[in-house]
Amino acid sequence: MAMARASSGPAYPERFYAAAAYAGFDGSHNSTSTVSSKFQNDTALLLYALYQQATVGPCNVPKPSSWKAVEQSKWKSWQGLGNMASTEAMRLFVKILEEDDPSWYYRASNSISEISESVVDTHVNHYSKDEPIIKNGNSFPETKTISTENGTLVETQDKDVVSEDVGTVAVYDQWIAPSITGQSPKARYEHGAAIVQDKMYVYGGNHNGRYLNDLHVLDLRSWAWSKVNFKVENESQEGQSPAKLTPCAGHSLIPWENKLLSVAGHTKDPSETIQIKVFHLQSCTWSTLKTYGKGPVSRGGQSVTLVGTSLVIFGGQDAKRSLLNDLHILDLETMTWDEIDAVGVPPSPRSDHAAAVHAERYLLIFGGGSHATCFNDLHVLDLQTMEWTRPTQQGEIPTPRAGHAGVTVGENWFIVGGGDNKSGVSETAVLNMSTLVWSVVTSVQGRVPLASEGLSLVLSSYNGEDVLVSFGGYNGHYSNEVNVLKPSHKSTLQSKITETPVPDSVSAVHNVTNPTRDVDSELEVGQEGKIREIVMDNIDRESWKSRGEGTSLIATLKAEREELDSSLSKEKLQTLHLKQELADAETRNTDLYKELQSVRGQLAAEQSRCFKLEVDVAELRQKLQTMETLQKELELLQRQKAASEQALDANHRQGSGGVWGWLAGTPGGQKGDDA
């Protein structure tokens, strides 16, 4: 669904190219240095990857050489986007730029032509965030006028949203805009909201890419806003600067005893693990909750569900924009974290989903999104067996969405808002958690906050009746509007009973021992991995008596339940046996790995020793060759010496004979003459 809107900037893809040019991706040789000078390294790499994905497509170029560190980092960032669609890369590029530099378009407006009206896809996570902000007045006017430099756009308010006092509305299942007094909070989305004693507290959120840390309260009896002036406990030593409350968005606000717990959320300088801030309602003071054990990694867009005295945390997106599907539980009595390794197939990694608990045992996860895909799948976690299942949904199954909000009224789970990469979701859907049947409560048309991402939804009461209260959101405009719906959950339940055929995989029974209409639930998983039984009914006892089938049906269901219990017990025993075998195998594998590492170490030591021996042998061989050469030279010298001595001895004897002959009267000269 596309909607016409006034914009202070161009539509896609022109908006993307304007953002790319502003960021420095102009195709010139100096573009890389320009981008690097404007952003931090990780942001610059992500923007480069998104630009390449949007303009070229998935990364199919060879990996650069390892000695080209910069090129390799850019290649890895691009390669990590996989097959992300070009349009999604464009929108995510603009979104990251707006978060880093919210006023980028105004700075570049001198070189970009203005487009006053355009038709764009209203993916609620990627609207143009620099449009004029429409604040909530005391009521919805029939028309809204948005003034721009190029003219005036008149936007007609949807007729399905009625401006009327809550107490005077007799029509159920219709959104109304109550008359609000007091100073409304700044428009925002991805904030936290909670109800405490007929008061709705709103904390933090995101406005124009900036995180907030203000706290406001709406009195649901007088419908008056007021800002809470709070203090922050200084955990540092005396004499140091006062403590400040870190702005955040994408967090969860949970009422607990006489406190509000702000769990997780995106911050400018994220910590390594999830931080929990506590607001003390009596003293109006914020403090940090001290927890024990290994806490989950810091994140935002997760779901936090209060189950008894525990917080169940699932999924979200960490500070590096990696999607998560891990499961953690915080015991609020011991303040100890526990990471859960549940069996079965968990939901795929996602953020901005909705979660609810039924019968204090079953955690339901619906929808959410990844970087390029939105979901409409439903997953159920049995908190006793810690097993994931994915049951079959019935009825008018909602379209894929992310950024929606949900709240439970009895066994009905209401889902409001969200978006699906193309448009904001206008339907208010409800899931009957006993039959897993969806239906549409109401639908609005036009660009209203109810068709937004990041709105909040809480359950309160007014004049003794349940009311759903929504606040804020983003659908191209940041909103600070309040809308209220009175659900006719009783008639809704009866319509499920009388009109909707119960699927084969779902059975309902009535607890005859309870005189009231109680909720009794049981979720069992068969060997084929499908939901075989969900006992979550609220049917009046008299209707069963009129049919005359209650007793036989209960007996049949009990027998089937016993059979399923037996089968489940066998499966659990087999699972435990397999887990034990797996643990033994892992232990053996660990021992073998350690032994292998030891052998590798010994082998390396032996190789080093052999190398040294080879060096010594080579040196000895060289010395031996030198000695052989010296030996030959010595023998030659000895032979020369012997020859010299013989010649000297012969000469000596000859010289000695001549002298004695001369003395005897026979001189040598005479002897020669005679001859």
Side-chain angles (χ1 to χ4, degrees):
M1 173 180 172
M3 296 180 289
R5 63 178 178 86
S7 174
S8 59
Y12 290 94
E14 289 79 8
R15 187 174 186 81
F16 162 73
Y17 290 115
Y22 174 80
F25 293 95
D26 54 3
S28 64
H29 296 289
N30 297 325
S31 61
T32 303
S33 60
T34 302
V35 174
S36 301
S37 63
K38 286 186 176 181
F39 307 99
Q40 296 181 356
N41 290 338
D42 54 348
T43 304
L45 285 174
L46 182 57
L47 289 175
Y48 165 80
L50 291 169
Y51 178 80
Q52 293 294 104
Q53 192 82 7
T55 57
V56 180
C59 179
N60 294 319
V61 299
K63 184 177 181 180
S65 302
S66 57
W67 52 272
K68 294 183 178 180
V70 176
E71 295 300 322
Q72 191 175 73
S73 298
K74 293 164 65 177
W75 183 88
K76 287 181 179 179
S77 182
W78 185 11
Q79 181 74 15
L81 298 181
N83 294 322
M84 178 185 290
S86 174
T87 54
E88 181 65 16
M90 290 183 180
R91 296 180 185 275
L92 190 54
F93 182 99
V94 175
K95 182 175 185 292
I96 293 172
L97 178 60
E98 288 173 344
E99 290 178 352
D100 191 87
D101 187 359
S103 59
W104 72 269
Y105 186 76
Y106 296 106
R107 297 180 182 178
S109 60
N110 292 334
S111 60
I112 303 176
S113 61
E114 295 289 324
I115 301 177
S116 61
E117 288 190 357
S118 58
V119 178
V120 298
D121 290 337
T122 57
H123 176 207
V124 292
N125 198 30
H126 306 288
Y127 293 107
S128 170
K129 297 189 177 180
D130 53 7
E131 297 178 0
I133 298 171
I134 305 300
K135 291 190 175 182
N136 186 30
N138 293 331
S139 63
F140 278 102
E142 293 182 359
T143 61
K144 292 180 180 178
T145 303
I146 305 173
S147 298
T148 63
E149 295 180 359
N150 297 327
T152 301
L153 173 69
V154 177
E155 183 179 278
T156 303
Q157 174 63 46
D158 186 273
K159 64 181 180 180
D160 294 331
V161 180
V162 182
S163 177
E164 194 169 354
D165 182 72
V166 180
T168 63
V169 176
V171 179
Y172 291 88
D173 299 332
Q174 181 174 329
W175 287 102
I176 67 169
S179 298
I180 303 294
T181 60
Q183 181 63 44
S184 298
K186 178 183 292 186
R188 67 193 66 200
Y189 81 128
E190 293 183 343
H191 51 277
I195 292 288
V196 179
Q197 297 178 351
D198 295 328
K199 293 183 179 180
M200 181 177 72
Y201 290 83
V202 173
Y203 167 64
N206 190 327
H207 173 80
N208 203 26
R210 301 298 184 187
Y211 300 143
L212 306 174
N213 64 349
D214 52 347
L215 179 64
H216 298 262
V217 59
L218 176 64
D219 191 323
L220 299 179
R221 292 168 295 183
S222 61
W223 297 100
W225 279 111
S226 60
K227 185 176 182 180
V228 180
N229 295 318
F230 55 79
K231 298 178 294 183
V232 181
E233 289 186 0
N234 196 341
E235 299 178 355
S236 59
Q237 298 179 355
E238 294 183 1
Q240 296 186 0
S241 60
K244 295 182 179 180
L245 187 62
T246 303
C248 64
H251 53 287
S252 302
L253 196 63
I254 306 296
W256 170 249
E257 296 178 343
N258 198 27
K259 311 178 191 68
L260 293 175
L261 305 181
S262 176
V263 184
H266 294 299
T267 59
K268 183 178 180 180
D269 298 312
S271 58
E272 293 184 2
T273 58
I274 281 181
Q275 299 295 309
I276 300 180
K277 301 292 184 180
V278 183
F279 181 71
H280 304 270
L281 293 170
Q282 291 183 348
S283 61
C284 290
T285 304
W286 283 100
S287 63
T288 301
L289 184 67
K290 184 178 181 181
T291 59
Y292 304 91
K294 183 180 179 181
V297 66
S298 178
R299 67 191 66 196
Q302 71 293 321
S303 62
V304 180
T305 310
L306 180 63
V307 183
T309 59
S310 298
L311 295 181
V312 182
I313 300 177
F314 172 77
Q317 186 180 43
D318 65 16
K320 298 180 180 179
R321 302 183 185 276
S322 298
L323 294 166
L324 307 168
N325 67 341
D326 52 347
L327 184 68
H328 298 264
I329 292 181
L330 175 64
D331 189 327
L332 293 175
E333 294 182 339
T334 62
M335 296 302 171
T336 304
W337 285 105
D338 188 14
E339 182 175 5
I340 305 301
D341 186 15
V343 299
V345 180
S348 59
R350 65 190 62 198
S351 66
D352 301 325
H353 50 279
V357 65
H358 185 71
E360 295 295 312
R361 176 172 177 178
Y362 303 102
L363 179 71
L364 285 73
I365 302 291
F366 172 73
S370 64
H371 294 305
T373 306
C374 293
F375 309 108
N376 66 339
D377 48 354
L378 178 67
H379 298 262
V380 178
L381 174 67
D382 189 328
L383 294 173
Q384 290 187 5
T385 62
M386 289 301 170
E387 183 172 7
W388 285 106
T389 55
R390 185 176 177 180
T392 301
Q393 304 177 72
Q394 304 290 330
E396 302 175 78
I397 301 175
T399 56
R401 66 195 63 195
H404 48 287
V407 70
T408 58
V409 181
E411 63 177 7
N412 296 306
W413 188 17
F414 288 82
I415 300 294
V416 179
D420 61 355
N421 282 339
K422 295 180 181 179
S423 63
V425 179
S426 59
E427 298 86 9
T428 297
V430 60
L431 173 68
N432 186 293
M433 292 184 288
S434 68
T435 60
L436 299 183
V437 176
W438 287 98
S439 60
V440 175
V441 177
T442 186
S443 180
V444 295
Q445 297 179 356
R447 197 172 75 189
V448 296
L450 294 167
S452 298
E453 173 210 9
L455 77 168
S456 61
L457 185 67
V458 295
L459 173 66
S460 184
S461 61
Y462 189 83
N463 291 339
E465 293 185 284
D466 292 329
V467 290
L468 308 185
V469 184
S470 73
F471 171 77
Y474 182 81
N475 63 356
H477 294 307
Y478 292 96
S479 171
N480 62 353
E481 298 178 356
V482 176
N483 291 286
V484 177
L485 180 141
K486 289 184 178 181
S488 59
H489 47 280
K490 180 178 179 180
S491 60
T492 302
L493 175 62
Q494 294 299 326
S495 66
K496 302 293 182 300
I497 298 172
T498 58
E499 299 177 8
T500 305
V502 179
D504 294 337
S505 61
V506 178
S507 299
V509 298
H510 178 62
N511 188 357
V512 296
T513 62
N514 192 344
T516 62
R517 300 194 304 180
D518 195 8
V519 177
D520 181 24
S521 62
E522 185 66 32
L523 178 66
E524 300 294 344
V525 183
Q527 296 182 359
E528 298 179 357
K530 297 181 178 179
I531 302 298
R532 294 286 305 276
E533 178 184 12
I534 302 180
V535 184
M536 303 175 182
D537 209 350
N538 198 15
I539 301 178
D540 186 62
R541 181 193 300 179
E542 296 300 324
S543 63
W544 280 108
K545 289 182 178 180
S546 63
R547 297 187 184 186
E549 300 174 353
T551 303
S552 61
L553 180 58
I554 290 174
T556 302
L557 291 175
K558 284 184 177 180
E560 184 179 355
R561 178 174 178 174
E562 291 176 358
E563 181 181 355
L564 290 174
D565 286 340
S566 176
S567 177
L568 182 61
S569 298
K570 293 180 181 179
E571 291 293 331
K572 288 181 178 179
L573 289 175
Q574 185 177 1
T575 301
L576 290 175
H577 180 68
L578 292 175
K579 283 185 176 180
Q580 185 62 39
E581 291 184 352
L582 179 60
D584 295 340
E586 289 178 349
T587 302
R588 291 195 298 270
N589 182 50
T590 301
D591 295 339
L592 290 174
Y593 180 76
K594 291 180 179 179
E595 184 177 354
L596 177 61
Q597 292 296 103
S598 177
V599 172
R600 285 178 176 175
Q602 295 176 5
L603 179 60
E606 290 295 327
Q607 288 177 343
S608 176
R609 192 169 67 86
C610 290
F611 177 75
K612 291 180 180 179
L613 290 175
E614 289 177 356
V615 172
D616 293 341
V617 169
E619 292 178 351
L620 291 174
R621 285 179 179 175
Q622 186 176 4
K623 291 179 180 180
L624 181 60
Q625 292 178 356
T626 303
M627 292 178 64
E628 290 178 352
T629 303
L630 293 175
Q631 182 67 28
K632 291 180 180 180
E633 292 179 355
L634 180 60
E635 292 177 354
L636 179 60
L637 291 175
Q638 288 177 347
R639 287 196 297 270
Q640 291 177 354
K641 180 181 178 182
S644 299
E645 290 177 351
Q646 291 178 0
L648 182 61
D649 186 58
N651 292 335
H652 180 70
R653 288 197 301 270
Q654 181 178 2
S656 300
V659 172
W660 290 109
W662 181 77
L663 294 175
T666 58
Q670 184 180 358
K671 188 182 292 184
D673 294 339
D674 293 342

